[in-house]
């Protein structure tokens, strides 16, 4: 039913538009994942609200890049933490968005169900593998990984069944034996591992030696044009959150856990969270080569027909030197 | 009193009328396309990521059906899988619905219990059964087939039992007088006379099954299918693909419906149920 609702959200765009000059609220989209940790820290520590001053922060939680981008297209989100996949697809199709910063890198792992008999990538042949959603960042890298192993998804004439299951539901899907493996963002990988499931691929072997963005920050270009000071202030707070994560990982874990509990009602074991955090890097910089490679994989997977000129969508100062 | 032969328009006139109708339908389609083009390409009322132009949708259709790129032809593969699923599900639904309908018409307690429940189940949208089907069968084709069969068999069961109940008593008496009993009476007299009503049930069941299929595929998108194409279009901000898929779903659904409608009309004419105008 939530899918139905998000389709309606897209329809609502006919009536609403992005906020122009002098916005009094900043609507922030994000997911309750460790790969969105700068958002979680910025919210829990109050960095964002402090930086925005009199403008009110309106945080909105999403479960997938798809529903977030629909809200973004409908002009209901001003700034968002999202995977590079939805960001690139949206920008390439003409959505008014700009990628303004990096947030996290790596942080996605391939976990197989304990009793699935899968011990290496090769064993994925004939199995069912879950990704957060079709066409998302993990789906794209899974398809590339399969290709490297000489395997193919069922939809492309191979024998690996790639199916969409939201990360939080993968725990239940594993328990019921409905899927055999999953490529998930953290902390879900570490949570599954703690439940006795097996890690087949770590964040480095999944793709590009772990050198790839998992979450980026995007802004609505109309909002940015009307409120440059707010965007600058937000980015400063984002940088503070990233710095906090890198300087005080132990304290940050408690902060993240508090925010995750607030959002999802679930507490993650701190040791599990620590393991997940080791596999995730936090940065404000963007790696243009990795983003270009990513856009090429998007074409390889058949989700786009050409690699767009990414420089046109990226705030120049956001790129890593 | 004399019985006059059934009035029928001469074939030439009928053909001309059908031709005129086709022309109007074609004109309507062209006007619709022109309006679409006007709104998107000329007036640019909506951004393309919300409402793409007819050209962008046509591009997706051509890539998806006969494109030669490495990942092209996915719509065609989706059509193949979806048709296979719906035909299997529909065939099972027809068999199951036929048997249940027969039993219901023959046995009053069953009709009054199961029949009433089936009417209730029919009012539940098929998509509501998908989560249950996933838990029961898993994220696979069987879950989709379950929903298709469930949705398809109910209208058939209700149509078959209703049609058999509505056979004029005179026919029943005539059959008995001529020596037909039990199953023989059912297959030899009652069923043949119920065919037109059963055909209407078959057509309703088809549209229910087709809708249930696409709804199920949207949530269980494991292999190439029309539902998965919708989901991929949505996930990759590709509204042109979404609209292309919707057009294909509508075209296939409409074609089958027209086929069944033609069959129904033919049978009704043969049964003398059509009153000429």
């Amino acid at each position: 039913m939530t899918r139905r609702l998000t389709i309606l959200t897209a329809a609502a765009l006919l009536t609403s538009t992005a906020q122009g000059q002098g916005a009094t609220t900043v609507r922030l989209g994000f997911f309750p994942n460790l790969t969105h940790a700068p958002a979680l820290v910025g919210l829990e520590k109050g960095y964002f609200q402090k930086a925005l001053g009199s403008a009110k922060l309106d945080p909105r939680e999403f479960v997938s890049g798809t529903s977030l981008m629909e809200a973004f297209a409908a002009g209901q989100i001003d700034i968002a933490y999202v995977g590079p996949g939805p960001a690139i697809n949206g920008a390439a199709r003409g959505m008014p968005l700009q990628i303004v910063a990096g947030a996290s890198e790596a942080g996605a792992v391939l976990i197989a169900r304990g009793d699935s008999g899968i011990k290496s990538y090769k064993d994925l042949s004939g199995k069912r593998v879950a990704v957060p959603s079709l066409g998302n960042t993990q789906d794209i890298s899974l398809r590339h990984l399969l290709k490297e192993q000489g395997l193919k998804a069922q939809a492309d004439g191979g024998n690996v069944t790639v199916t969409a299951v939201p990360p939080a539901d993968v725990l239940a899907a594993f328990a019921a034996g409905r899927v055999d493996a999953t490529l998930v963002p953290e902390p879900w990988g570490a949570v599954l591992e703690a439940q006795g499931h097996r890690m087949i691929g770590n964040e480095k072997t999944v793709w590009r030696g772990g050198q790839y963005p998992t979450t980026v920050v995007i802004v609505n270009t109309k909002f940015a044009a009307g409120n440059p000071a707010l965007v600058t202030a937000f980015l400063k707070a984002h940088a503070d959150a990233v710095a906090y994560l890198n300087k005080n990982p132990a304290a940050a874990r408690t902060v993240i856990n508090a925010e995750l509990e607030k959002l999802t009602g679930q507490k993650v074991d701190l040791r599990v969270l620590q393991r997940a955090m080791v596999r995730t890097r936090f940065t404000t910089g963007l790696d243009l080569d990795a983003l270009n490679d990513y856009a090429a994989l998007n074409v390889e997977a058949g989700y786009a027909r050409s690699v767009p000129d990414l420089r046109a969508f990226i705030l120049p100062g956001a790129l890593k030197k | 009193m004399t019985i006059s032969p059934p009035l029928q328009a001469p074939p030439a006139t009928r053909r001309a009328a059908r031709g005129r109708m086709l022309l109007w339908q074609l004109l309507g389609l062209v006007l619709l396309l022109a309006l679409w083009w006007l709104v998107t390409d000329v007036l640019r009322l909506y951004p393309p990521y919300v409402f793409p132009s007819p050209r962008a949708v046509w591009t997706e259709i051509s890539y998806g059906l006969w494109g030669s790129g490495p990942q092209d032809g996915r719509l065609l593969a989706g059509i193949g899988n979806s048709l296979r699923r719906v035909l299997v599900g529909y065939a099972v639904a027809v068999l199951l619905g036929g048997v249940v309908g027969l039993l219901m018409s023959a046995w009053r307690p069953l009709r009054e219990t199961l029949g009433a429940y089936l009417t209730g189940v029919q009012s539940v949208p098929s998509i509501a059964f998908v989560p249950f089907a996933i838990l029961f069968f898993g994220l696979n084709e069987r879950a989709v087939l379950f929903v298709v069969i469930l949705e398809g068999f109910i209208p058939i069961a209700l149509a078959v039992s209703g049609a058999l109940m509505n056979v004029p008593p005179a026919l029943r008496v005539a059959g008995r007088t001529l020596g037909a009993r039990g199953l023989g009476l059912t297959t030899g007299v009652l069923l043949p006379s119920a065919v037109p009503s059963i055909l209407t049930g078959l057509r309703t069941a088809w549209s229910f099954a087709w809708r249930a299929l696409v709804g199920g595929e949207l949530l269980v998108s494991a292999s190439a299918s029309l539902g998965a194409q919708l989901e991929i279009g949505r996930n990759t901000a590709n509204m042109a693909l979404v609209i292309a898929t919707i057009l294909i779903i509508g075209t296939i659904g409409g074609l089958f419906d027209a086929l069944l409608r033609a069959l129904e009309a033919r049978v009704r004419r043969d049964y003398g149920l059509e009153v000429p105008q």
Side-chain angles (χ1 to χ4, degrees), chain B residues 43-196:
Chain B
L43 299 173
R44 298 181 192 280
L45 289 181
Y46 304 102
Y49 55 87
V50 174
F51 192 26
S53 68
R55 202 181 315 116
V57 172
W58 176 250
T59 307
E60 286 299 331
I61 291 179
S62 65
Y63 284 144
L65 291 184
W66 56 81
S68 54
Q71 295 290 345
D72 286 341
R74 277 186 175 176
L75 274 172
L76 196 65
I79 291 173
N81 273 335
S82 294
L83 273 183
R84 178 176 51 76
R85 275 180 206 141
V86 79
L87 290 179
V88 169
Y90 187 63
V92 175
V94 169
L95 279 175
L96 200 69
V99 171
V100 171
L102 264 177
L103 291 176
M104 285 204 310
S105 76
W107 196 34
R108 190 189 167 111
L110 190 70
R111 188 162 64 241
E112 288 183 350
T113 52
L114 185 68
Y117 295 140
L118 287 184
T119 318
V121 175
Q122 196 176 23
S123 70
V124 179
S126 58
I127 201 125
F129 291 108
V130 175
F132 168 78
I134 291 176
L135 283 178
F136 210 79
F137 296 102
L139 282 163
N140 53 37
E141 192 153 321
R142 270 180 300 164
V144 180
L145 273 179
F146 169 78
V147 181
V148 172
I149 293 169
L150 180 69
E151 286 291 306
F153 113 92
I154 296 175
I156 292 175
L158 293 176
V160 168
S161 88
L164 290 178
M165 298 302 301
N166 288 331
V167 171
L171 272 178
R172 211 179 280 257
V173 173
R176 286 225 182 87
T177 313
L178 292 171
R181 289 279 177 279
L183 200 63
L185 182 73
T186 306
T187 55
V189 180
L190 302 184
L191 269 181
S193 71
V195 164

Side-chain angles (χ1 to χ4, degrees), chain A residues 206-230:
Chain A
V206 162
W207 188 46
R208 235 177 161 267
Q211 304 296 314
Y212 55 89
T214 307
T215 308
V216 300
V217 181
I218 60 173
V219 298
N220 184 305
T221 46
K222 282 184 214 151
F223 175 83
N227 307 278
L230 283 180

